[in-house]
Amino acid sequence: MENALIIGASGGIGAAVALELESRGAAVTRLSRSADGFDVTDPSSVDRHLDALDGPFDLIFVAVGILAPQGSGPEKALSAIDAQSMAQVLAVNTIGPALILRHVPRLLAKDGPAVAAILSARVGSIGDNQIGGWHAYRASKAALNQIIRGAAIELGRSHKQAACVALHPGTVETPFTANYAGRHRTMPAPDAAAHLLAVIDGLTPARTGRFFDYAGAEVPW
């Protein structure tokens, strides 16, 4: 990758991916809410920031998301579902990346291999859901996966050498997961970044529109 755009670059995974790419000599453009005021829940903010970029980028990496609104946690039962909280999770995890994807056809390189990679989560897999719970987060990621699938189909018509995929990063040691890792094996953010970039490096147009974990294994929808 020579020219990369990292959205969510102040978070643990986004920052680690940016640093890893820079160590490889790539030019990295970073956007985040904390550093740039890039607010994925505000369409005008998304448009203002992305309209200001020229590209083309051969990697667009989107690493934005919340488990639950600040001060609350993922639901453990149907009775815990709250409309306002669910709407906020969907605004960040689903609608925000969709607003970003509106700009990807213009920003993603057309003349060579290119990748749009959006962080999803294994718990967004409907086929892999065995224990329930976390209803808003699961639903937001399942909906995101559908948007990514549709975006891949559209990009395939205009960007013949591109791949657009959903990626599951594993359970990474960040503030995002600090209270919820439980018994899951965690990995440092730099290790997760290296794994994710290895998957990205191996992508081809034939693998577009699919869902992969950090080891390159396909995750069921």
Side-chain angles (χ1 to χ4, degrees), residues 48-60:
R48 182 173 66 255
H49 283 90
L50 295 184
D51 284 344
L53 301 178
D54 293 325
F57 297 97
D58 47 23
L59 172 62
I60 298 175

Side-chain angles (χ1 to χ4, degrees), residues 4-219:
L5 171 62
I6 311 298
I7 298 175
S10 64
I13 298 173
V17 168
L19 287 171
E20 176 64 22
L21 287 168
E22 287 170 343
S23 75
R24 300 180 183 187
V28 177
T29 299
R30 305 180 186 214
L31 286 174
S32 68
R33 180 167 184 158
S34 61
D36 310 291
F38 184 92
D39 182 358
V40 297
T41 68
D42 180 357
S44 64
S45 176
V46 174
D47 290 345
R48 182 173 66 255
H49 283 90
L50 295 184
D51 284 344
L53 301 178
D54 293 325
F57 297 97
D58 47 23
L59 172 62
I60 298 175
F61 185 86
V62 181
V64 298
I66 58 172
L67 282 169
Q70 189 172 5
S72 63
E75 312 93 340
K76 295 182 179 180
L78 290 168
S79 59
I81 291 174
D82 175 79
Q84 186 173 355
S85 294
M86 178 174 275
Q88 188 173 345
V89 173
L90 288 164
V92 176
N93 293 353
T94 308
I95 300 172
L99 295 174
I100 293 167
L101 282 164
R102 291 195 308 176
H103 294 263
V104 167
R106 180 181 70 85
L107 293 173
L108 196 66
K110 288 186 178 181
D111 298 331
V115 172
I118 299 89
L119 286 192
S120 184
R122 186 180 295 276
V123 296
S125 166
I126 295 173
D128 191 59
N129 184 358
Q130 303 297 322
I131 61 173
W134 288 35
H135 301 291
Y137 186 69
R138 285 183 186 275
S140 72
K141 293 298 187 177
L144 172 63
N145 290 345
Q146 182 70 281
I147 291 166
I148 294 167
R149 176 77 171 185
I153 293 168
E154 182 173 335
L155 283 168
R157 301 183 184 122
S158 57
H159 294 65
K160 301 299 185 183
Q161 299 184 63
C164 178
V165 298
L167 294 179
H168 167 61
T171 305
V172 184
E173 295 172 7
T174 68
F176 185 89
T177 62
N179 295 324
Y180 302 101
R183 293 173 292 177
H184 294 285
R185 182 175 64 86
T186 61
M187 71 180 86
D191 292 350
H195 290 309
L196 291 169
L197 287 170
V199 175
I200 288 169
D201 289 340
L203 291 173
T204 66
R207 307 188 86 191
T208 195
R210 293 159 70 180
F211 185 9
F212 300 99
D213 71 12
Y214 61 93
E218 192 158 3
V219 181

